Amino acid sequence: MRKWILFLLLISFSLVAFSQQEVTSPDEFLGYTVGSKFSRHHQIVDYFKLVAKQRPDWVKIMPYGKTNEGRELLVAVIATPSNLQRIDDIRKNNLRITGLLKDGVAANTTNAVPIVWLSYNVHGNEAASSEAAMLTLYTLVKPDNADAQKWLQNEVIIMDPCINPDGRDRYINWYNSVVGTQMNVDIQSREHMEPWPGGRTNHYNFDLNRDWAWQTQLETQQRLKLYQQWMPEVHVDYHEQGFNEPYYFAPAAEPYHEVITQWQRDFQQLIGKNNASYFDKNGWLYFTKERFDLFYPSYGDTYPIYDGAIGMTFEQGGIRAGLGVINDDGDTLTLRDRVLHHFTTGISTVQVSAEQHQQLIDNFKKYFDNNNNAVNNIYKTYLITSNDANKINAVKELLDKNNIEYGVAEVNNLRGFHYATNTVENVQLQKYQLAVSMFQPKSSLARVLFEPNSKLSDSATYDITAWSIPYSFGVDAYALNDKVTLKPLVTNTINAGSIAVSTYGYIIPYQSFNAARLLAYLTNNHVKVRVTAKPITYNNVTYPVGTLLVLKTSNDYLNWVSLVKNAAVRYNILPVEVTTGLMQKGPDFGSSDISVINVPKVALITGEQSSATDAGEVWNYFDKALEYPVTLLNAIDIYRLNLNAYNVIIVPDGYYKVFNDKSVADKLKSFVTAGGKLITIQNATALIGTNIFGLKQKEINTEDTINISKLPVYNESERNDLSFSIPGSIYSVQLDNTHPLAYGYDKIYYTLKQNTDVYELLNNGWNVGTIAGNNYVAGFVGSKIKNKLNNGVLFGALKFGKGNYVFMADDPIFRMFWENGKLMLANAIFMVQ
């Protein structure tokens, strides 16, 4: 192994020595040295395409989609000519090793080559890695690079040069507009002060690095569809952290999820040692085994790990650094430095993967052999059940995105751990069910997504610690110790022919978010929809509060029957034809207990002072999930805005100084008093609810008797803080499901709690979602607060003048994967009147 060649490359960072007519260097293509300027996304794409054109026997470009703003997404497949010619056979053989491809052909592990996938720039303003991608591509395919040619005999490289083009170009276009002829290394210069919302996120201000498992975003959905077709053995996700930090690479920090194998841990050590050898030769600083753990399943390192790969995050210090900045050590960190560091770890990963190619294949096969035989799984089957088909279908869609197999349990008289009661008991099946066996290729990922409470080896985690699908999707569930025979699931869908043509009206069940989407669709199409505030009985069937009605009355000027049919098919909800407004029990259709739902004209507070990700999450909810119009208003413009143009205003999580202004507070109060509806979420509730509408936060008493021998130790301060931490845990909430905010729910709702906010019970309002006693369900909660979040309200509503104030202490649609909360937000918008 001629490491000195690579070493000279690393020292010089010069492309001149490698200049070849056969391959244009990035410098030659761009007209500037890589790292001396930021390149726009289209330049990176064009360079990748040019190299593929110049070296078609070594590089193949595979487009896989477009972003929300229409930018191209692609990967480059890099292999020797002989391997590139049989690249689809290599891909299929890799899938046979996993067991995902069952075509009757035996998997070949003797002559197989592992697949190494390098992903760049998932966070748009962590922009150095896409520059490094060009340099890495060039180095790997240069005709005179004997090392690369040798490595590529034993592996296939897939490079995604930019996962988040929209975010990258948002950042690059801004930065290029504020930088002068020379960079300014003073951190106070405006080129280091990126404006809201920053370039980190995608078009909808979503953090794509936290979307791998849930696949709520367009970019993730398209990328993971391709990823599932390859199932690489190694995956590297490139990032940047604060510019004062040195470089981070594997091995990762604890906690590691217990499904992570010893081999995966050991290979991270191999990569780390090789990276360190290059960094040591150059005198570069780095750290390992700190901060970045392997637990939450939706990262670019953990998700591949749970899919059998060696998943790793590489983090270069560089956020806010621009082209260069003076750090706290007094050193100047340049973009060229950052590019070179990322380039080095990329080449190092390629090298080690080639040298360990057979071990990678053998252990990859072992991983999936264990998966297919449910080795080390206490629970062999996870079963979910619901009386609403759309709740089952929502889980099914998530499993489909992740290529997780499922079916329907054939056996009766089953026993298992019941998620709702935390005990082992007989399985009580509802109308619909879905079962996931651990005897399948994706059993490790399925286990992580379904297990009731993941075991933490260390409480110092980087993200939320609970996410179990039954809780987040609002379905009843059991974890079974036994293997259960499964038969195929038959999806229940509505077709227009099954819907009777009514001359009077329809009853429409309201039990899931799909029902809210149907309501939004009808409202958008000017259909007047009614809702019942009391149960009704028609043809011996009782329908609960919140049931929708569409009647000829008020809609006769529309083709209302056709619109109801279209909505029913689109959202898979069967409307019930009614021929009379006279009910067997409950209010008749002319009763005051049945009312027309007001058409919401919704505004969302966004911009500076709001949380970009939380505001973006609600925007995405309206645009992509609810498919209902929303107007985005800048928080700092609220002084001059005409709020009376809307009847619903949503204030997402954020840190709002503007609402401390008395004139703004009075303006909001007047909006509600005059008949408007204000909805606040998380910290917006803590600020607006307490300062304007009189909510009172419960004090969480965390005081203990002082013990001198147990006083905090300085170098353990971070760990001591954990006793007050709640990074993201699940609590059960008691619902008053007769209130419009909880229409469509059972009496228990599971919330993801990321703060200690609990409000005192209301005497002059509605305590819709309350927490009492020990409602803890899953995830890490600090010992000082675990059992003290109780006897208060998390979700509620106040009548204020002619309007309504709806407050939420927790985020009901967290990262758009908390499926069961989407209905509650829709209720706040449509139902609370």
Side-chain angles (χ1 to χ4, degrees), residues 599-610:
V599 177
K601 296 179 181 178
V602 187
L604 171 65
I605 302 300
T606 184
E608 290 181 35
Q609 300 183 19
S610 71

Side-chain angles (χ1 to χ4, degrees), residues 368-649:
F368 283 96
D369 285 347
N370 287 340
N371 274 6
N372 286 304
N373 290 286
V375 174
N376 298 323
N377 282 283
I378 297 174
Y379 297 125
K380 305 298 184 184
T381 308
Y382 293 94
L383 188 151
I384 65 169
T385 183
S386 174
N387 284 322
D388 188 88
N390 287 315
K391 287 192 172 184
I392 299 295
N393 289 341
V395 176
K396 173 186 172 295
E397 289 173 8
L398 178 66
L399 300 180
D400 285 339
K401 289 175 181 177
N402 288 289
N403 215 358
I404 295 173
E405 299 168 3
Y406 53 83
V408 174
E410 289 188 314
V411 183
N412 293 319
N413 302 318
L414 299 171
R415 284 180 64 79
F417 172 88
H418 191 195
Y419 285 66
T421 63
N422 203 33
T423 60
V424 176
E425 56 189 61
N426 293 330
V427 172
Q428 299 293 321
L429 289 177
Q430 299 180 33
K431 188 174 181 180
Y432 304 100
Q433 59 133 312
L434 178 152
V436 177
S437 171
M438 292 298 94
F439 294 84
Q440 65 159 302
K442 291 296 194 86
S443 68
S444 290
L445 178 61
R447 170 184 166 179
V448 172
L449 296 180
F450 274 97
E451 62 186 350
N453 200 343
S454 300
K455 180 180 177 182
L456 275 164
S457 62
D458 191 315
S459 53
T461 59
Y462 195 71
D463 210 297
I464 65 170
T465 57
W467 50 79
S468 186
I469 285 174
Y471 299 127
S472 59
F473 278 70
V475 290
D476 202 14
Y478 299 84
L480 284 58
N481 295 112
D482 300 321
K483 181 179 181 180
V484 176
T485 301
L486 303 184
K487 62 182 180 181
L489 172 69
V490 178
T491 304
N492 295 277
T493 56
I494 304 299
N495 61 74
S498 64
I499 303 171
V501 175
S502 177
T503 58
Y504 186 89
Y506 293 99
I507 293 173
I508 303 176
Y510 192 82
Q511 297 177 311
S512 67
F513 180 56
N514 266 32
R517 299 175 71 199
L518 177 147
L519 171 59
Y521 174 88
L522 293 176
T523 304
N524 258 334
N525 284 279
H526 312 294
V527 175
K528 288 186 178 178
V529 182
R530 287 170 162 80
V531 61
T532 176
K534 291 184 178 178
I536 56 175
T537 301
Y538 178 76
N539 278 353
N540 300 317
V541 178
T542 299
Y543 300 91
V545 296
T547 297
L548 305 180
L549 303 171
V550 176
L551 306 178
K552 179 179 180 181
T553 300
S554 305
N555 291 307
D556 203 24
Y557 68 99
L558 293 169
N559 190 358
W560 62 279
V561 172
S562 177
L563 287 168
V564 169
K565 281 192 168 189
N566 290 342
V569 172
R570 184 169 184 168
Y571 300 110
N572 198 42
I573 296 174
L574 183 63
V576 178
E577 178 198 12
V578 291
T579 58
T580 177
L582 181 65
M583 296 293 99
Q584 291 170 279
K585 293 181 181 179
D588 300 322
F589 289 175
S591 168
S592 60
D593 288 318
I594 292 177
S595 58
V596 174
I597 296 173
N598 296 328
V599 177
K601 296 179 181 178
V602 187
L604 171 65
I605 302 300
T606 184
E608 290 181 35
Q609 300 183 19
S610 71
S611 161
T613 53
D614 287 81
E617 172 186 277
V618 180
W619 178 25
N620 185 257
Y621 170 85
F622 275 92
D623 223 22
K624 294 293 188 178
L626 194 61
E627 298 175 300
Y628 194 82
V630 63
T631 299
L632 308 184
L633 304 178
N634 287 323
I636 59 175
D637 293 334
I638 202 165
Y639 297 93
R640 61 178 182 80
L641 296 175
N642 175 21
L643 300 186
N644 295 325
Y646 319 99
N647 54 29
V648 179
I649 295 176

